[in-house]
Structures are given as structure tokens and as C-alpha cells.
Amino acid sequence: MDVYYKTIWTRQNIKSLDDLKNNGVYRVKRQYIEEQYRDIAPFYIKLYKWFVYAANERVAAPQGVEFPIWCSVSYEGMLSPIENTIGYKLEVDSSQIIYFDGKKWDHVLNHWYIPKDKDDAAAYGQRLRKLGLEETSSFIEGKNANFYPLERKIVMDSWYRIFHIDNWNIYTTQANIWEIKPDMIKDIYCQ
């Protein structure tokens, strides 16, 4: 079977080099997310766990992986290295990459419904108005979280649409992988 490699980029904490040296692999751990996001880490961890569940249906995570590694599909779209971080240029077996729409991911971060198209967005808005709710109502957390279990399910089921990319481009199309191994690294960028 032929293997096709794709080039992707990611910015990670400089400590990732230690993991690569000591363990032969870099994987995102809960502790890294807690260090990066501090007080709001639980918010991200909850949503990342959903992403792990959904992404694992597309590309199975290796045993022991906790969270995905966020990547860009272009050098221009990569977050530039800042203090205590480095950028990696990676060549990855394309079957191990999980592509998704970063604009749709923003809907997940805001606990919003992801419509299929304009008609679906209009129908969803009408559905909420019939319930006497606003389109930005959160059924995931907040005042409406426990009162509308069906709406919660509808919103969370719509999140799977992040994996349906309507407009492939170097800025909003993003990639995830489960781990970085030394042989994947083609270049390292510093601040």
C-alpha cells in the first residue's frame, strides 16, 4: 500500500523537545493544557475531550494519547513561535491527519449550532424562536443547559460538521494529529 505524506506545521511548547528526546514521541498532556490556559483550562479540556471522541472515529488515537496536536496546513497559517515555544514543520502520513474547519470549531468553542447551510441555519433559528429562545442560547452550559436536553443533543450532534470542510484554504482549514515522532520533523522554527 502506498503512503502519501503531507506537510503540516504546528507551534508547541519548547518542552516538547524534551519529550521527544526522553520518550521518542511528543503527545499533548492535560498538564500542558492546564499550564497554557490556567483558569480557563477546564473549559478547553471539556471541548477537547469531545474533539478527541469525535476525531477518534476518523483516525484511531494510539494507546495513551490524551489530546490532539493542533496543526496548520500552511506555514502562513501556523501560529508563529513566541517565547517558550517552537514551530515544527512535519511530514505526516496523510492517513493519520484529521482535517477540520477552524471556523466551525469556533462554533464549538461558543457552544453554538453548526448549520449545514443557509437554509438549515434559518430553520434552526425558526425552531429556537418557536421555543421562545435566542439563536445564541447555550444548551451546553449556562441557564438553559438542564432544561432543553433535545436541543443540547441537536447542537452537539451538529458539531460533527467541523469535519466537513466547505471551503478548503490555508487559514481556516486545520489539521490534527495524535503525536509527533522525530522522523516526522523536517524543520524547527524558533522565535
Side-chain angles (χ1 to χ4, degrees):
M1 181 168 100
D2 291 330
V3 176
Y4 297 99
Y5 291 91
K6 295 286 185 179
T7 303
I8 56 178
W9 293 259
T10 186
R11 179 179 78 187
Q12 298 297 317
N13 190 292
I14 197 153
K15 294 177 188 175
S16 61
L17 290 171
D18 294 334
D19 282 0
L20 284 161
K21 180 181 174 187
N22 298 329
N23 306 320
V25 67
Y26 169 69
R27 295 174 172 174
V28 173
K29 298 176 184 166
R30 180 186 189 106
Q31 146 194 357
Y32 302 161
I33 297 168
E34 290 170 343
E35 288 172 2
Q36 180 177 353
Y37 292 112
R38 301 177 193 256
D39 291 345
I40 61 170
F43 170 82
Y44 282 99
I45 287 170
K46 189 181 297 185
L47 294 173
Y48 288 169
K49 282 184 176 184
W50 174 86
F51 187 95
V52 167
Y53 175 81
N56 199 43
E57 293 177 358
R58 284 145 182 78
V59 176
Q63 186 75 16
V65 166
E66 291 182 76
F67 296 100
I69 297 171
W70 244 246
C71 300
S72 299
V73 297
S74 70
Y75 175 79
E76 297 82 5
M78 177 184 77
L79 294 172
S80 298
I82 58 174
E83 186 178 350
N84 296 317
T85 70
I86 56 171
Y88 291 100
K89 177 181 179 181
L90 305 170
E91 280 193 12
V92 180
D93 177 340
S94 60
S95 70
Q96 298 304 305
I97 301 172
I98 305 150
Y99 292 102
F100 67 102
D101 186 319
K103 286 177 72 174
K104 291 178 182 177
W105 175 250
D106 288 344
H107 280 69
V108 175
L109 291 175
N110 286 293
H111 299 154
W112 295 339
Y113 178 79
I114 300 175
K116 294 178 204 168
D117 52 32
K118 288 181 182 180
D119 291 340
D120 186 50
Y124 180 72
Q126 185 176 16
R127 174 185 178 86
L128 291 184
R129 284 189 293 282
K130 283 182 181 178
L131 292 171
L133 301 166
E134 295 186 25
E135 290 184 48
T136 58
S137 291
S138 177
F139 302 107
I140 311 307
E141 292 180 355
K143 67 180 183 178
N144 293 324
N146 296 320
F147 298 108
Y148 298 94
L150 177 59
E151 297 309 312
R152 177 186 174 92
K153 181 178 179 352
I154 289 169
V155 169
M156 291 185 76
D157 286 350
S158 80
W159 291 355
Y160 285 91
R161 294 186 184 124
I162 66 170
F163 301 108
H164 303 275
I165 301 170
D166 304 318
N167 179 25
W168 279 78
N169 67 71
I170 63 172
Y171 297 107
T172 61
T173 302
Q174 296 181 4
N176 263 290
I177 56 176
W178 296 117
E179 59 188 5
I180 297 173
K181 293 182 177 178
D183 63 336
M184 298 163 74
I185 301 169
K186 300 305 169 195
D187 206 352
I188 295 177
Y189 308 95
C190 298
Q191 181 182 7

